Amino acid sequence: MAHIIVVGNEKGGAGKSTVSMHVATALVRMGHKVSGLDLDLRQRTFGRYVENRRGFLAQADLDLPSPTLHELPEIEAGALRPGENVYDHRLSAAVAAMEPDSDFILIDCPGSHTRLSQVAHSLADTLITPLNDSFIDFDLLAHTDASGDKITGPSVYSEMVWNARQLRAQAGLAPIDWVVVRNRLGAQRMVNKEKMERAVANLAKRIGFRVAPGFNERVIFRELFPRGLTLLDLKDIGVKQLNISNVAARQELRDLIKALKLPGVNADF
């Protein structure tokens, strides 16, 4: 049975699609069969990323390991029973179609609350939530007092994850392994960074997620998107000498893959 990875965060700009593409490509490069699904039916950033890769590789006559992108199938309205949701059926049909030929299914969710995203979270074996190192983004997970030191309550997103966990428990499925990935960390030990570190660690104990290191802010990620490339592809396209920033970014990806603790996976790339 395929292991389902869901990348979710109801706030845009946290790096979901960048994380999705790099995790998916890393797994493929390690020999795993990876299928991808983009549930942001409007922007489709992850889907565009994979399509850009497909186009660039064809143009450059290159054959690089790549995840297989799938689309949500259409469901005839007449096939639904009274009260059934069409999006539930479309997602279930997509996962059923991907599962036989996949070791991992990676689902990239939109930066907003949708029915598709809600259902996808309940399917997650591993849930990755990228989070920028800011209290604006932390508010997605929980509310704090004015000092930022005291957590006053969970957010609607945390409550949605809690509901997804309850649904899995009722179905007799294994608990969701929720991993919050801290992106765009500052290089210096600043007051905000230290407060964020304490707040995230405190919340992790209260609502049950693990914390993993993510990506620092780097220009390379914006440059790679139009060609659908990742950090792991640079040498394959003729970059003979990686600069210090690129080497550091590859190590960040390796650290992230290790921290995810996915079944049958090591960070040997």
Side-chain angles (χ1 to χ4, degrees):
M1 182 175 292
H3 186 91
I4 298 178
I5 303 169
V6 172
V7 182
N9 178 325
E10 291 184 2
K11 187 178 184 304
K16 290 189 300 296
S17 297
T18 298
V19 168
S20 293
M21 189 63 177
H22 278 77
V23 169
T25 303
L27 292 173
V28 174
R29 280 184 167 272
M30 286 184 274
H32 301 284
K33 294 181 290 185
V34 181
S35 294
L37 189 65
D38 191 340
L39 297 188
D40 191 337
L41 304 183
R42 186 173 177 84
Q43 294 190 14
R44 295 189 68 254
T45 306
F46 175 58
R48 290 286 300 140
Y49 208 142
V50 179
E51 290 168 357
N52 290 348
R53 182 181 185 84
R54 189 184 302 152
F56 173 76
L57 295 183
Q59 183 180 20
D61 195 24
L62 291 172
D63 183 18
L64 300 182
S66 304
T68 303
L69 182 66
H70 292 253
E71 303 291 340
L72 285 174
E74 295 296 333
I75 301 292
E76 294 291 337
L80 299 176
R81 297 175 181 175
E84 289 185 331
N85 188 291
V86 65
Y87 290 110
D88 294 6
H89 280 260
R90 293 181 70 187
L91 183 55
S92 297
V95 171
M98 290 186 286
E99 199 153 29
D101 298 317
S102 305
D103 300 316
F104 293 93
I105 296 172
L106 189 144
I107 302 175
D108 189 44
C109 293
S112 59
H113 181 77
T114 66
R115 174 69 181 189
L116 277 173
S117 180
Q118 184 179 5
V119 176
H121 278 67
S122 69
L123 300 177
D125 297 305
T126 298
L127 171 60
I128 303 173
T129 300
L131 185 75
N132 289 333
D133 202 47
S134 159
F135 275 102
I136 296 175
D137 287 68
F138 184 82
D139 195 64
L140 169 88
L141 299 178
H143 306 307
T144 66
D145 64 2
S147 70
D149 292 323
K150 183 179 179 181
I151 296 170
T152 58
S155 72
V156 289
Y157 180 74
S158 295
E159 290 175 349
M160 184 185 74
V161 175
W162 171 257
N163 290 333
R165 284 173 157 169
Q166 294 296 101
L167 287 174
R168 287 181 65 88
Q170 292 168 12
L173 300 174
I176 299 172
D177 183 17
W178 187 10
V179 184
V180 171
V181 174
R182 294 181 66 195
N183 275 341
R184 297 189 173 99
L185 291 172
Q188 299 177 339
R189 296 297 300 181
M190 302 180 70
V191 173
N192 176 75
K193 182 178 178 180
E194 293 176 351
K195 278 191 172 184
M196 274 290 296
E197 195 169 294
R198 289 196 301 270
V200 171
N202 183 19
L203 187 62
K205 296 175 183 176
R206 288 183 57 172
I207 64 177
F209 58 77
R210 298 190 292 113
V211 183
F215 299 124
N216 284 329
E217 180 67 41
R218 301 185 191 278
V219 176
I220 185 65
F221 293 118
R222 293 190 288 273
E223 294 176 341
L224 291 172
F225 174 79
R227 293 174 290 172
L229 298 176
T230 70
L231 296 165
L232 304 177
D233 304 312
L234 296 180
K235 290 186 177 180
D236 292 322
I237 63 169
V239 179
K240 296 180 180 179
Q241 188 68 39
L242 300 182
N243 61 37
I244 294 175
S245 177
N246 293 348
V247 171
R250 280 177 62 97
Q251 185 58 50
E252 289 166 4
L253 176 58
R254 188 175 289 109
D255 291 342
L256 172 58
I257 296 296
K258 285 182 179 178
L260 292 178
K261 299 179 182 178
L262 298 171
V265 172
N266 59 52
D268 187 17
F269 55 82

